[in-house]
Amino acid sequence: MKQQLLIVDDNDMMRSFLSHYFSKHYDVQTANNGQTAWSVLDGGFFPDLVLLDLNMPEYDGLALLKQLKNSVLFHDIPVIVLSSVSKSQEKIKCLHAGAVDYITKPFNPQELEARLQYHLRVNNVKA
């Protein structure tokens, strides 16, 4: 059984690229904002990891990250923030909120995949 990823990004091209890139080895679901992502989770999709953009309309990535980490059901799911925001303060805020990693766009897909695999491996050891 493939591990499951939830990709949350408001950019259609980024969602499409990430979904295509990772769907070869993972079961991928996508959402265009935090509210839609929560609906996907609430609908029964339980990902092994979440790739999360920060700047999204309606319900941003930091709000979703905090909601996930405060949830009894979803708080153990590792979240990698994938954002164009490169300010150190924003990275620190996300890491303090519970993100396991923060990767700045533009990014190397192979580096993202290596980090994703690392966090999935670390998370599985704890299980």
Side-chain angles (χ1 to χ4, degrees):
M1 185 171 155
K2 290 182 178 180
Q3 289 180 301
Q4 299 183 326
L5 301 179
L6 176 59
I7 298 168
V8 187
D9 197 305
D10 63 323
N11 183 291
D12 293 337
M13 288 181 62
M14 181 60 68
R15 272 195 328 275
S16 178
F17 168 75
L18 291 170
S19 179
H20 177 75
Y21 186 85
F22 287 112
S23 65
K24 295 169 191 147
H25 301 288
Y26 302 93
D27 179 16
V28 177
Q29 292 286 328
T30 63
N32 63 349
N33 63 46
Q35 187 173 17
T36 304
W38 193 258
S39 295
V40 169
L41 294 166
D42 201 35
F45 186 73
F46 198 88
D48 295 289
L49 188 137
V50 176
L51 290 176
L52 179 62
D53 184 28
L54 284 183
N55 295 327
M56 297 180 289
E58 297 176 40
Y59 195 77
D60 70 20
L62 185 57
L64 178 62
L65 174 61
K66 289 177 178 178
Q67 186 175 5
L68 286 168
K69 296 306 167 183
N70 287 321
S71 166
V72 173
L73 192 56
F74 304 119
H75 74 277
D76 286 335
I77 297 172
V79 177
I80 296 176
V81 174
L82 189 60
S83 177
S84 59
V85 178
S86 61
K87 294 179 182 174
S88 187
Q89 280 304 109
E90 200 65 27
K91 294 176 185 179
I92 292 166
K93 188 187 309 181
C94 290
L95 293 169
H96 280 304
V100 296
D101 211 339
Y102 191 110
I103 300 171
T104 305
K105 296 175 185 174
F107 58 92
N108 179 325
Q110 292 174 322
E111 179 186 352
L112 174 59
E113 186 171 15
R115 289 180 185 229
L116 186 145
Q117 289 171 352
Y118 169 78
H119 290 295
L120 286 171
R121 199 170 48 250
V122 168
N123 191 53
N124 284 336
V125 169
K126 293 178 182 177

